[in-house]
Amino acid sequence: MLKPPSAAQVTPPPRRRPRVGRVLRRLVAVVIGVCALLGAVRLVVPATAGTADEPPGVRRQLTFLRAALDGGAGDQAQSLFPEGYFFLHALYGLSWVELGMRAPDGERSAALREARWALARLESPPGRAPFSADLTPPHGVFYRGWTNWLRGGTLALQPSARRDPAELRRFADDSAALAGALANYGELAGLPIDTPWTKRYAFGLLPIGDAFLAWSKTARPWMASTPSPPPATISWWWRTPLLALLLVIGVIPWLPVLVRRYGARRVRPEVTDESSGVATE
């Protein structure tokens, strides 16, 4: 008569391989968790080096942009929207101005050279092409304001004793032209015109955004000490909702795993006594 095998002779059933779906779900959960963690770190850690030091990586980005501009990126941007060529060179030059203003006085030559190069591009025929010379002031407040802002930046990068008098006169003349345009074409009788795209003053003659952005930046005292900037950090209460949202996003993919493990701990599986065949807890 055959005896039932003892518990020592019973071989456990082979372990099932994890299903592909489970592996994919955990992989997606890991990716979402890592992204949420990186977002929280970027939210808490300052993104720049403050207002005095040079932000990391900016010079490499500007080097890349200069190579792209030399390769025709301005013309490509022009084909996408009317001010593409102008904006790309203006922002490139102003970025160098900002970078140069953070450097000591004797280390601004590279920033000055690149800012002047961008200014020359703005004053070239391709830079002026979208702007009519019949506007008031010539080529419009948009063109004159942004160009004068960059010209003021090039002056600010130079020691006061080495600034070109002709360049200073040009800066003052353009500032006066912008002031005259705002004085002569201001908001008439308090009745601006709202269009589907922007709000315009002087019965539609002068866009509000172009006018006051350009004037506020031109009126900035480039040749004098600037006021202290606001703190570069964000208040903790502004970060709290985003941090909570990132925490929820990172935890949600893991909820099914946590629920299964918690349930497995509370409910003990039945254990079968091999000798008696009676299920016990």
Side-chain angles (χ1 to χ4, degrees):
M1 184 176 179
L2 296 176
K3 295 181 179 180
S6 62
Q9 297 175 347
V10 176
T11 58
R15 298 180 61 183
R16 293 183 302 176
R17 295 181 178 179
R19 297 178 180 178
V20 177
R22 184 181 301 176
V23 174
L24 291 178
R25 286 195 299 269
R26 291 192 177 184
L27 181 60
V28 172
V30 170
V31 172
I32 294 177
V34 170
C35 292
L37 179 61
L38 291 177
V41 172
R42 291 295 301 272
L43 185 64
V44 175
V45 177
T48 65
T51 57
D53 301 327
E54 179 177 322
V58 172
R59 287 185 181 269
R60 293 194 303 270
Q61 296 173 17
L62 290 175
T63 301
F64 170 81
L65 288 176
R66 175 58 191 268
L69 290 172
D70 290 338
D75 297 330
Q76 296 176 6
Q78 185 65 30
S79 64
L80 298 178
F81 59 101
E83 298 88 5
Y85 182 96
F86 182 89
F87 253 136
L88 202 56
H89 287 87
L91 295 179
Y92 174 80
L94 290 172
S95 298
W96 271 110
V97 170
E98 178 69 21
L99 196 64
M101 295 298 293
R102 298 175 181 230
D105 293 340
E107 301 177 7
R108 298 178 176 180
S109 58
L112 178 60
R113 181 185 66 250
E114 295 300 318
R116 281 176 167 172
W117 176 84
L119 181 60
R121 288 294 188 99
L122 297 185
E123 295 180 331
S124 66
R128 291 179 174 175
F131 311 102
S132 174
D134 298 330
L135 297 174
T136 303
H139 303 291
V141 172
F142 181 90
Y143 175 85
R144 296 289 286 273
W146 282 92
T147 305
N148 211 41
W149 184 9
L150 182 54
R151 180 174 290 107
T154 61
L155 291 171
L157 291 174
Q158 305 173 58
S160 57
R162 299 178 58 183
R163 292 168 185 162
D164 185 3
E167 199 171 10
L168 284 171
R169 286 194 300 270
R170 177 73 180 277
F171 178 75
D173 293 342
D174 284 354
S175 299
L178 287 166
L182 290 177
N184 296 328
Y185 293 92
E187 183 175 353
L188 301 182
L191 297 175
I193 295 178
D194 292 320
T195 69
W197 303 277
T198 183
K199 182 178 181 181
R200 305 177 73 90
Y201 281 115
F203 296 103
L205 296 178
L206 195 63
I208 176 176
D210 296 352
F212 289 96
L213 173 63
W215 174 243
S216 65
K217 295 303 182 182
T218 300
R220 178 180 176 178
W222 282 110
M223 272 64 74
S225 58
T226 57
S228 300
T233 57
I234 303 174
S235 301
W236 64 268
W237 59 264
W238 190 88
R239 293 193 187 103
T240 302
L242 291 180
L243 287 174
L245 178 61
L246 291 172
L247 178 62
V248 171
I249 293 174
V251 170
I252 283 179
W254 295 98
L255 284 181
V257 178
L258 297 176
V259 170
R260 284 197 301 268
R261 291 187 177 182
Y262 180 74
R265 290 179 179 179
R266 295 193 59 182
V267 180
R268 296 178 58 188
E270 293 184 348
V271 180
T272 302
D273 189 345
E274 298 291 344
S275 60
S276 61
V278 179
T280 61
E281 292 185 357

